[in-house]
Amino acid sequence: GSDESVLYLPGTREEISEIFLDAMTELRTEVRLNISGLTWEFGAENDLKNLYYAVLSEHTGLKYAYDVEVSLSGDTAVCSFLYMPYVTGAYESGVPEGAAVIDSLYHARAAAQGMTDGTERMTVAITDPALSVDDIQRALGQAGYGWIRYDLSRDGTELIAQPATGRTLEECAVAIEESFRLGSEIVSEQLDDSMTEGEQIEALYEYIVENVSYDFRYYSDWEAMPYESTVAIGALRDHLAICGGYAQAFQTLLDLIGVENYTVSGVSQGEYHMWNYVVVDGVGYYCDPTSDRGGMRNHYMLTVEELAADGGYSWDHEFLTRISGAADK
């Protein structure tokens, strides 16, 4: 039962793992074990912590149980689980002053995108207990334009920024700002007020596939290829990029005109690849500007079925529908 005064008498490590699994699933804060008769490899405290980590690695949906503390008294071990506040109802009476509310995966990404000015830490209150820690982390991976990485803090109450490359956070923020400045110039040159949203998206896609060349140093001289080729600035400033640069350039341009979009990390033709997921009128479509370089239109606004029928792609479509709420056509 959920009575935390129960004293369990496990006979094996497997039984302890089951007890931990049940407790973490039910959000119990404490498990009391009679450990007489059990033998330990690295001592009771370390072994019990290792069993907790093993349960977490097998059941990744339980990452909200972010730590365990073990105290020993004679033959009794008290294992106290620490939970991210969002799963315990801690915010039902209100969120801490100044905390950014995250009530969806979409807002997790939006909160992180608000930190691209070089903000290092932000206090957050995740208010939907149904969100998984892995999904939140993947949503944060959608922010930062390849320059900044965002992580949920261990206890789930902060977003923490760090450079994704060997630069300072400030230098990364400047690079993002520069790619938006370049993108703004392209938007003002390529678009006008008479265009529909669909025509604007198409014009920006055309610009990228017609004006950006592939940086083949990725294959021939990888170490000589600048980091800029993997992000938007390579495509927008140098007209030279690999898939990450193409995808993040298109993302930057769509962000500038307010079109909801995401980058897609997956595999294409046996290689890691990045492309785009664009949401129009609540429906999601795929675009792969790298594959259409040279001015083609074979991978423009494809449905999930059309991209899957292409044969060479594998990716997590379900995550994109969870973060965007978009439907398939």
Side-chain angles (χ1 to χ4, degrees):
S2 60
D3 183 354
E4 291 176 3
S5 65
V6 169
L7 182 63
Y8 292 94
L9 184 60
T12 64
R13 290 162 184 269
E14 289 72 23
E15 284 177 46
I16 296 173
S17 295
E18 286 299 319
I19 292 165
F20 281 3
L21 176 59
D22 289 345
M24 290 152 70
T25 303
E26 295 169 12
L27 302 179
R28 281 185 272 149
T29 54
E30 194 175 280
V31 164
R32 292 157 54 79
L33 306 171
N34 180 326
I35 56 171
S36 60
L38 290 168
T39 55
W40 308 104
E41 193 177 356
F42 301 110
E45 185 178 346
N46 288 331
D47 283 15
L48 288 168
K49 285 189 172 182
N50 286 338
L51 286 172
Y52 151 82
Y53 287 120
V55 171
L56 271 197
S57 67
E58 201 175 326
H59 303 273
T60 57
L62 298 176
K63 283 184 181 168
Y64 55 71
Y66 69 89
D67 204 1
V68 67
E69 293 168 351
V70 178
S71 61
L72 304 172
S73 177
D75 285 337
T76 303
V78 178
C79 305
S80 305
F81 297 101
L82 304 181
Y83 297 102
M84 294 183 179
Y86 85 98
V87 295
T88 64
Y91 300 126
E92 281 166 13
S93 56
V95 302
E97 193 175 339
V101 172
I102 293 177
D103 57 9
S104 66
L105 297 175
Y106 179 86
H107 286 130
R109 179 183 73 156
Q113 291 290 55
M115 298 170 68
T116 51
D117 60 356
T119 301
E120 203 168 323
R121 302 178 88 96
M122 178 190 281
T123 304
V124 295
I126 302 161
T127 57
D128 180 357
L131 296 177
S132 84
V133 176
D134 279 350
D135 267 2
I136 294 167
Q137 189 58 55
R138 290 175 72 186
L140 298 177
Q142 285 282 335
Y145 299 98
W147 286 102
I148 302 174
R149 177 191 161 96
Y150 297 97
D151 292 292
L152 193 60
S153 66
R154 200 151 167 264
D155 66 357
T157 63
E158 281 187 300
L159 302 186
I160 302 166
Q162 52 188 0
T165 173
R167 329 248 168 135
T168 66
L169 204 54
E170 190 179 12
E171 286 167 339
C172 291
V174 167
I176 293 170
E177 191 180 356
E178 173 67 2
S179 61
F180 270 88
R181 186 190 65 75
L182 293 161
S184 296
E185 289 177 5
I186 292 163
V187 166
S188 61
E189 286 164 12
Q190 302 298 317
L191 307 186
D192 63 63
D193 295 341
S194 70
M195 291 174 157
T196 64
E197 182 178 76
E199 288 168 341
Q200 291 186 350
I201 296 168
E202 195 168 355
L204 295 175
Y205 191 77
E206 263 179 26
Y207 175 85
I208 288 176
V209 298
E210 288 173 8
N211 289 282
V212 182
S213 300
Y214 194 85
D215 193 341
F216 282 102
R217 285 176 294 183
Y218 177 70
Y219 296 107
S220 63
D221 192 4
W222 184 75
E223 289 189 348
M225 185 186 79
Y227 187 77
E228 282 76 359
S229 287
T230 69
V231 289
I233 208 164
L236 301 178
R237 183 190 67 196
D238 309 327
H239 305 288
L240 196 61
I242 62 169
C243 60
Y246 278 89
Q248 287 176 141
F250 193 39
Q251 177 189 32
T252 299
L253 296 177
L254 293 180
D255 283 354
L256 281 162
I257 63 168
V259 171
E260 184 182 353
N261 72 97
Y262 303 87
T263 55
V264 186
S265 296
V267 173
S268 172
Q269 315 302 334
E271 285 192 329
Y272 289 116
H273 191 50
M274 187 182 278
W275 61 100
N276 302 85
Y277 185 66
V278 182
V279 180
V280 178
D281 296 328
V283 179
Y285 301 91
Y286 289 97
C287 298
D288 184 354
T290 310
S291 294
D292 279 347
R293 66 183 183 274
M296 293 182 290
R297 220 52 96 57
N298 301 334
H299 301 82
Y300 178 68
M301 299 301 266
L302 302 183
T303 64
V304 60
E305 288 82 10
E306 287 168 339
L307 186 63
D310 196 282
Y313 291 85
S314 60
W315 77 102
D316 188 346
H317 175 69
E318 283 67 35
F319 171 72
L320 293 160
T321 62
R322 288 199 297 278
I323 189 172
S324 65
D328 298 338
K329 191 162 187 177

